[in-house]
Amino acid sequence: MKTKRIIALLLVAVMMLALCACGKKEKKTVYAVEAGSAGEEVAKEKGYEINSVDSQAKALMEVKAGTSDAAIIDSLMAGAMVGAGTSYPDLKITDQKLTEELYGIGCRKGSDLASFINEVLYTTYESGEMQKIAETYGVQAALIKQEACTANVEADGDVAYIQDKGTLIVGITDFAPMDYQNENGEWIGFDADMAKIVAEKLGVAIEFVEIEWNNKVFELDGKGIDVVWNGMTLTDAVKTAMECTVAYCNNAQVVITK
C-alpha cells in the first residue's frame, strides 16, 4: 500500500512538472536592425522579433549592451566593425548569411544625375581609380566590373540644377567603411570618396548630410538632398521609388552576436 502511494505521488509530481514546462514560453531571439534597411526587411520576412533603431551602428551597440540578442547588418560594415582589432572586438559574424545583394546609388525619380554617376563609375573603374579607393577601405573584393556607358544629361535636368546651385548634397548615415568621419570630423569612406569625385566632375562643392534612413525617399523628393550614397541595397522598393545607378558593390545581410 505504501509503495502504491509513493508511485502515485511521483506520478503527480511528474504531471505537475510537465504542466509547468508547457506553460513556459520559449524566449525569442531579438534582432536589432536599422529602420528602413534591407536587414529590417529580411527580418520581417522571416518573422523575427526585431528592435528597430536608427542606424546599423546603433544595432551593434544594442548587441554589445545586451538589449538585443543579435544584429542584422551589411557584410561590408560587419567586416570593418566586428571582430579582433575593430570597434567591437567582443562581437562576431556568424555563418548565417540571410541575403545576397547589390549596392547602388539613388537619385530622384527620372533624374539624369544617375546617368552622370554611371559614367563616372565606369571611367574610374577603367582607370583603376575606383580600385585604389576600394583598397584604402578594404572593400576591393566586393567591387563589380563597370560596363561602358555615356551620360545622358538634359538641359533642364538635375545635373543642371545641381551645377546652378553649386553644391551636391549627399544623404548618408554613419556607416563604415562606406561613409564615416575621421578624427578631424571630415566624411571619408569608399562611398564618400567616390561622391567627391562626382562633385568634382560636376564642378561643384560637396556637402554630406546625415539622414534618417527610413526617410531617404522623402529627403530626395523634397530636395533636402540630391543623392543617397550610403551602401544602399537595390531592393525592388528602392528601384521603384528612386532613379538608381548600376550596381557597383556586392553585399549580404549577416547576423552578429556576442
Side-chain angles (χ1 to χ4, degrees):
M1 193 75 177
K2 190 174 180 181
T3 303
K4 286 182 179 179
R5 188 178 176 188
I6 290 169
I7 292 170
L9 288 170
L10 286 170
L11 286 170
V12 169
V14 169
M15 287 174 66
M16 288 179 70
L17 286 170
L19 286 170
C20 288
C22 289
K24 282 184 181 178
K25 287 186 178 179
E26 187 179 340
K27 184 181 179 296
K28 283 189 174 181
T29 300
V30 177
Y31 294 85
V33 295
E34 180 183 31
S37 70
E40 183 184 59
E41 187 176 315
V42 72
K44 285 180 176 178
E45 285 175 2
K46 292 182 176 293
Y48 290 168
E49 188 88 12
I50 64 172
N51 172 20
S52 293
V53 293
D54 61 14
S55 71
Q56 294 192 46
K58 289 272 182 71
L60 292 176
M61 289 169 65
E62 290 285 322
V63 180
K64 182 179 179 180
T67 45
S68 292
D69 303 305
I72 300 174
I73 68 170
D74 290 24
S75 61
L76 288 179
M77 183 182 196
M81 298 288 286
V82 174
T86 70
S87 301
Y88 294 92
D90 297 330
L91 302 186
K92 68 175 182 179
I93 306 169
T94 70
D95 293 332
Q96 192 176 7
K97 187 183 284 188
L98 301 177
T99 62
E100 301 245 353
E101 303 165 355
L102 299 172
Y103 276 168
I105 301 143
C107 307
R108 281 180 278 278
K109 200 68 181 174
S111 173
D112 59 349
L113 180 60
S115 172
F116 187 93
I117 294 172
N118 282 339
E119 184 175 4
V120 175
L121 293 177
Y122 168 67
T123 56
T124 54
Y125 188 92
E126 282 298 292
S127 69
E129 187 175 10
M130 183 190 288
Q131 291 88 327
K132 286 180 182 177
I133 294 171
E135 286 171 9
T136 302
Y137 300 102
V139 299
Q140 64 272 20
L143 287 186
I144 295 170
K145 178 178 169 57
Q146 299 297 297
E147 301 298 328
C149 63
T150 304
N152 183 19
V153 176
E154 301 167 7
D156 59 349
D158 254 4
V159 169
Y161 162 73
I162 292 162
Q163 288 175 328
D164 187 54
K165 67 188 175 81
T167 307
L168 175 69
I169 305 175
V170 183
I172 58 170
T173 65
D174 190 350
F175 177 36
M178 311 311 276
D179 294 298
Y180 63 101
Q181 288 177 298
N182 63 16
E183 60 276 7
N184 298 319
E186 300 166 332
W187 286 101
I188 59 171
F190 178 72
D191 281 352
D193 287 5
M194 290 297 299
K196 290 170 188 174
I197 295 173
V198 169
E200 183 183 340
K201 299 285 186 186
L202 286 166
V204 300
I206 192 164
E207 180 183 347
F208 294 99
V209 174
E210 284 191 85
I211 60 172
E212 290 287 336
W213 194 242
N214 221 15
N215 294 334
K216 54 189 177 291
V217 177
F218 299 109
E219 293 282 359
L220 268 179
D221 291 345
K223 294 194 172 181
I225 60 175
D226 299 311
V227 61
V228 178
W229 202 331
N230 193 75
M232 183 178 70
T233 299
L234 292 172
T235 64
D236 289 340
V238 161
K239 289 186 283 187
T240 298
M242 302 182 199
E243 195 70 33
C244 295
T245 66
V246 294
Y248 64 95
C249 259
N250 290 297
N251 182 51
Q253 294 300 312
V254 295
V255 177
I256 309 298
T257 61
K258 278 194 174 180

